[in-house]
Amino acid sequence: EIVLTQSPATLSLSPGERATLSCRASQSVSSYLAWYQQKPGQAPRLLIYDASTRATGTPARFSGSGSGTDFTLTINSLEPEDFAVYYCQQRSNWPPFTFGPGTKVDVK
Amino acid sequence: EVQLLESGGGLVQPGGSLRLSCAASAFTFSSYAMTWVRQAPGKGLEWVSAVSGTGGSTYYADSVKGRFSISRDNSKNTLYLQMNSLRAEDTAVYYCAKCLGGLGWAYFDYWGQGTLVTVSS
């Protein structure tokens, strides 16, 4: 089973700042990695898939990069609605499809 | 607009059973793999099970294998999760989600609102 780790666990930033979130896989997942955003009381929302492809409706301030075992989600100039929990998920070696533990982006 | 509406959650005693349903609309249901993902209170996301578009291929997390069964009725645009021998650790919000394509394209682009399953005596 591929284990995903995310860092940091919590990221405290102010609106307008850049957020850099990391996801590391226990073995290569090629580019088969997605990022989701989840706000309290809501279902997750797909932001990025195949490491760098923005899903329909994802704002351009969200970008993904990486391949193999190391991936990054960057949010340029945080908007108030971006404060949420972010999860990575792999589809390279399944089952299972695994998620990372999440990174919470909160207001500094 | 794609919609996924779960139902069937509730309070059940340990060892009991529950069947969740997920009614889908506004897309060609049979063309897409579907999945269940759960989230225990205050915890992260855990993939539970997935089924191919035809229903012919099913997959499970080790934590539910042998106890849960996923199925779909493409004539009714509905996904199911039969949960047997429930344990306290199965307590979670259960989400159904649509895959971007087949199971080889298992990113989850639409999610339901979730249904809460509580296993407690």
Side-chain angles (χ1 to χ4, degrees):
Chain A
E1 173 177 331
I2 293 177
V3 176
L4 300 178
T5 56
Q6 291 186 242
S7 61
T10 302
L11 192 55
S12 297
L13 295 168
S14 300
E17 291 191 296
R18 171 182 291 183
T20 303
L21 288 67
S22 174
C23 177
R24 178 164 291 177
S26 59
Q27 63 190 78
S28 176
V29 298
S30 186
S31 295
Y32 301 137
L33 188 107
W35 291 93
Y36 298 83
Q37 176 193 68
Q38 187 179 33
K39 298 178 182 179
Q42 296 185 17
R45 168 194 174 191
L46 177 65
L47 294 175
I48 300 280
Y49 63 92
D50 281 350
S52 61
T53 302
R54 278 190 290 274
T56 302
T58 300
R61 63 181 180 274
F62 291 89
S63 63
S65 63
S67 65
T69 61
D70 291 296
F71 299 85
T72 301
L73 174 69
T74 301
I75 311 171
N76 283 313
S77 190
L78 280 163
E79 297 287 341
E81 61 267 28
D82 299 337
F83 292 93
V85 179
Y86 293 83
Y87 296 94
C88 56
Q89 174 244 324
Q90 67 83 24
R91 70 163 184 91
S92 174
N93 187 355
W94 58 274
F97 302 105
T98 49
F99 290 89
T103 290
K104 183 178 182 180
V105 178
D106 66 12
V107 180
K108 187 174 182 179
Chain B
E1 180 184 354
V2 170
Q3 288 200 327
L4 299 170
L5 186 61
E6 302 100 334
S7 60
L11 175 64
V12 60
Q13 292 188 336
S17 297
L18 216 52
R19 187 174 87 153
L20 306 182
S21 299
C22 172
S25 60
F27 66 100
T28 306
F29 185 65
S30 60
S31 294
Y32 296 90
M34 297 291 294
T35 193
W36 290 96
V37 175
R38 69 184 180 184
Q39 187 169 36
K43 303 298 184 182
L45 302 171
E46 180 189 14
W47 173 77
V48 172
S49 183
V51 61
S52 63
T54 63
S57 297
T58 58
Y59 302 89
Y60 300 93
D62 285 347
S63 58
V64 306
K65 199 173 295 182
R67 300 187 299 122
F68 289 15
S69 177
I70 191 171
S71 62
R72 62 192 298 162
D73 185 336
N74 286 343
S75 68
K76 295 182 178 179
N77 289 352
T78 303
L79 175 72
Y80 302 100
L81 186 68
Q82 178 66 45
M83 304 185 296
N84 299 328
S85 303
L86 282 160
R87 307 167 179 167
E89 54 265 35
D90 295 318
T91 293
V93 173
Y94 284 74
Y95 295 101
C96 69
K98 169 187 167 292
C99 293
L100 266 179
L103 282 171
W105 199 244
Y107 301 122
F108 314 129
D109 60 344
Y110 286 95
W111 298 64
Q113 85 289 349
T115 187
L116 176 62
V117 172
T118 303
V119 184
S120 175
S121 55

